[in-house]
Amino acid sequence: MASKAKKTTALLLASLMCAGAFAGCGGNGGTTTSTASGSSAGSTESTASTASTASSAGEASIPTVAEITERLKTEAKDGKISLKVWAPSNSKDFVKSMVEKFKTTYAVDGVTYEIKVVEKGEDKCINSLTEDSSKGADVFQFPTDQLLTGINAGVLAEVPTVFQGQISSENMEDAVKNCTYENKVYAYPMTSDNGYFLYYNSSKFTADDVKSFETLLDKAAKQKVQAFMTISDAWYTASFFYAAGCDIKLDTATQKMDLIDFDTDKGVAATKAMADLVNNNKDSFVSTGDNAAILTLLSSGKLQAVVTGTWNTPAIENAWGKENVAATKLPTVKMNGTDTQLHSFGGYKLIGVNSASKFPLASATLATYLTGPEVQQERYNQLKVIPTNNDILASDALKNDPIQKAIEAQRPYSHSQSVCTMKFWDPVASVGTDINNGNLKSSDEAGIKAALQKVVKSVEQG
């Protein structure tokens, strides 16, 4: 069914091009393998971004609503266009409201839209489609690290040529690269804040207090409050390994990962740093739990500093009061007696179109609309997430946004998570889980080395 949908898309695009209604764009460049760098200002460029977007993309004409709606008439079946959209719980209502605006903006004479918005986490969409794309949503959100998985599984439809000019001209160059693989664009950039940093209550801590994790936790203990950073989730556990000088490489052709120095003295230093934070700060440091745990701790009043991302901004503002919410890059931690800056994963959140969609042009049009300037602005206004649109990023509101400033402060220490396949997450998370369960202690160097060797073997050979 996926291949049939792709052929349908191709036929639609061919008719568009033959009609001369839209200008196209081509690609230039070759395939390379990119890796994260644990010792330099890591770019968030996706490993899947093996080629730049077409040089002519910025010159391509942007189709008008009238031109698109005229073509949508031919795609409707019995006067209907039926779509399903997956959206995460924290933005489901927002997506619903934007879908209603889409229906009005792209109203087609004689055609009724039936668009259902269904809750599904961004991290689960690609996996669900790989199981059975025919039952999946037409339009969905996903993080950059899953782009290559979606492409290899054949579940991501290419972005129609007619929309590529708009995507390339309106959004951050790096965001567009993260939607691109081997000269083909497979996704629509939505947000530029798929990473994490430190939020803190400025009525409890000063800017100097939060520069060091050790100082932050000491101040928290004295006030009988808590700080949170899970180390049982590899997305966060990696912070310590990158900070220690470890690295991750991915061969995109074979999908083989290499964990560089994870099982050497550098990896041991990272593990010891995590263990010391946990074991030396039992009352003030919460080191395990998911997003629901963060929300529970916020509502209890005990949590006054948290490593998380923009998806929790509304909840944090509600708990502390907007005037007390401050944010900054991640703090330092002691590694081998030296204050060492924590690193992070960073990237983008994208919108994709199911290659098995029975309405490929309508799906692509909706995806373009949901990532267009109007919706990106509304998404920022309502959900406080950071856009990829160049004009919005250049506005005074974004330039003065403390969250955006924190993201930019963390960016030099941020790495693309696109170097990680699904084999990475569980084995690396097990290191933090073993620390939290008391199975790994900083004094047990032999045990740490054995655990790290097991992790490397599982990721590289599993």
Side-chain angles (χ1 to χ4, degrees):
M1 181 171 281
S3 60
K4 180 180 179 181
K6 287 180 179 177
K7 290 177 182 177
T8 304
T9 304
L11 289 172
L12 279 166
L13 294 182
S15 66
L16 287 170
M17 296 303 292
C18 290
F22 309 111
C25 63
N28 59 354
T31 302
T32 61
T33 301
S34 52
T35 62
S37 171
S39 59
S40 65
S43 168
T44 57
E45 181 175 340
S46 166
T47 302
S49 310
T50 56
S52 301
T53 53
S55 60
S56 60
E59 301 170 3
S61 63
I62 297 176
T64 66
V65 171
E67 289 170 333
I68 291 295
T69 54
E70 185 64 27
R71 292 295 169 179
L72 289 174
K73 285 183 182 180
T74 65
E75 189 172 71
K77 294 177 175 59
D78 298 324
K80 293 181 181 179
I81 291 177
S82 301
L83 302 175
K84 180 163 66 175
V85 179
W86 280 336
S89 59
N90 63 347
S91 63
K92 180 182 175 183
D93 290 343
F94 172 80
V95 172
K96 279 185 175 180
S97 66
M98 294 301 106
V99 164
E100 292 305 311
K101 289 186 176 182
F102 168 81
K103 290 179 182 179
T104 300
T105 302
Y106 284 90
V108 182
D109 290 339
V111 175
T112 301
Y113 285 108
E114 294 180 350
I115 304 177
K116 185 177 182 180
V117 180
V118 179
E119 184 177 316
K120 185 178 271 298
E122 296 156 336
D123 58 328
K124 297 178 173 62
C125 294
I126 292 291
N127 285 340
S128 293
L129 290 173
T130 59
E131 293 172 1
D132 189 348
S133 60
S134 68
K135 295 180 180 179
D138 299 272
V139 179
F140 54 91
Q141 300 176 22
F142 67 101
T144 49
D145 66 297
Q146 295 183 12
L147 181 77
L148 203 55
T149 300
I151 294 171
N152 288 337
V155 300
L156 276 173
E158 291 179 34
V159 175
T161 308
V162 296
F163 295 124
Q164 290 183 21
Q166 179 175 346
I167 291 173
S168 298
S169 63
E170 293 182 348
N171 294 284
M172 299 167 61
E173 181 181 0
D174 190 57
V176 180
K177 286 181 179 179
N178 274 266
C179 297
T180 307
Y181 182 64
E182 293 187 344
N183 299 330
K184 297 176 181 179
V185 184
Y186 287 93
Y188 308 71
M190 183 178 72
T191 72
S192 62
D193 56 4
N194 192 31
Y196 47 93
F197 46 92
L198 178 70
Y199 287 86
Y200 65 96
N201 188 332
S202 61
S203 71
K204 302 291 185 181
F205 306 104
T206 68
D208 285 338
D209 291 339
V210 300
K211 289 180 178 179
S212 156
F213 230 135
E214 288 79 12
T215 302
L216 168 61
L217 295 174
D218 179 62
K219 296 286 185 179
K222 290 177 180 177
Q223 298 179 72
K224 297 184 178 180
V225 298
Q226 294 176 318
F228 179 101
M229 179 181 183
T230 184
I231 61 168
S232 295
D233 181 333
W235 202 48
Y236 298 91
T237 313
S239 298
F240 294 83
F241 288 103
Y242 272 130
C246 303
D247 202 359
I248 305 170
K249 292 186 178 182
L250 174 69
D251 185 326
T252 57
T254 64
Q255 288 289 281
K256 183 182 182 301
M257 291 185 66
D258 288 324
L259 301 187
I260 310 300
D261 287 327
F262 271 63
D263 56 354
T264 69
D265 289 345
K266 292 179 180 179
V268 171
T271 307
K272 285 184 176 181
M274 284 186 277
D276 285 339
L277 282 182
V278 171
N279 295 318
N280 297 339
N281 302 280
K282 292 291 187 180
D283 294 328
S284 58
F285 186 39
V286 181
S287 57
T288 186
D290 56 12
N291 202 65
I294 293 175
L295 300 180
T296 299
L297 286 167
L298 283 170
S299 64
S300 74
K302 292 205 70 175
L303 187 62
Q304 300 297 328
V306 55
V307 173
T308 186
T310 56
W311 53 91
N312 276 322
T313 299
I316 292 170
E317 290 181 347
N318 184 60
W320 300 343
K322 187 174 181 178
E323 69 281 3
N324 294 321
V325 176
T328 187
K329 65 183 173 119
L330 295 178
T332 63
V333 295
K334 291 287 186 184
M335 286 192 186
N336 295 324
T338 301
D339 289 328
T340 305
Q341 176 63 49
L342 282 177
H343 289 222
S344 64
F345 276 129
Y348 303 89
K349 290 183 181 179
L350 315 173
I351 286 184
V353 168
N354 187 347
S355 61
S357 175
K358 296 178 181 178
F359 300 92
L361 182 60
S363 297
T365 305
L366 177 58
T368 303
Y369 179 79
L370 291 175
T371 55
E374 178 185 350
V375 178
Q376 285 207 34
Q377 182 67 62
E378 278 302 306
R379 190 178 287 110
Y380 170 70
N381 293 344
Q382 296 185 35
L383 304 180
K384 305 303 180 184
V385 294
I386 307 301
T388 59
N389 181 274
N390 292 318
D391 289 342
I392 302 174
L393 288 170
S395 68
D396 289 339
L398 265 296
K399 287 180 179 178
N400 297 320
D401 188 310
I403 307 303
Q404 171 68 350
K405 288 181 179 179
I407 292 171
E408 290 304 316
Q410 184 62 35
R411 199 176 296 280
Y413 311 100
S414 177
H415 304 259
S416 171
Q417 66 196 62
S418 295
V419 294
C420 300
T421 68
M422 296 306 294
K423 292 181 179 180
F424 174 81
W425 305 107
D426 288 343
V428 175
S430 70
V431 177
T433 300
D434 283 343
I435 291 171
N436 283 324
N437 291 340
N439 298 327
L440 283 181
K441 298 184 183 296
S442 58
S443 58
D444 182 15
E445 187 163 322
I448 290 173
K449 285 185 176 180
L452 293 176
Q453 288 169 353
K454 183 178 179 181
V455 167
V456 171
K457 182 177 180 180
S458 180
V459 173
E460 295 185 352
Q461 302 177 24

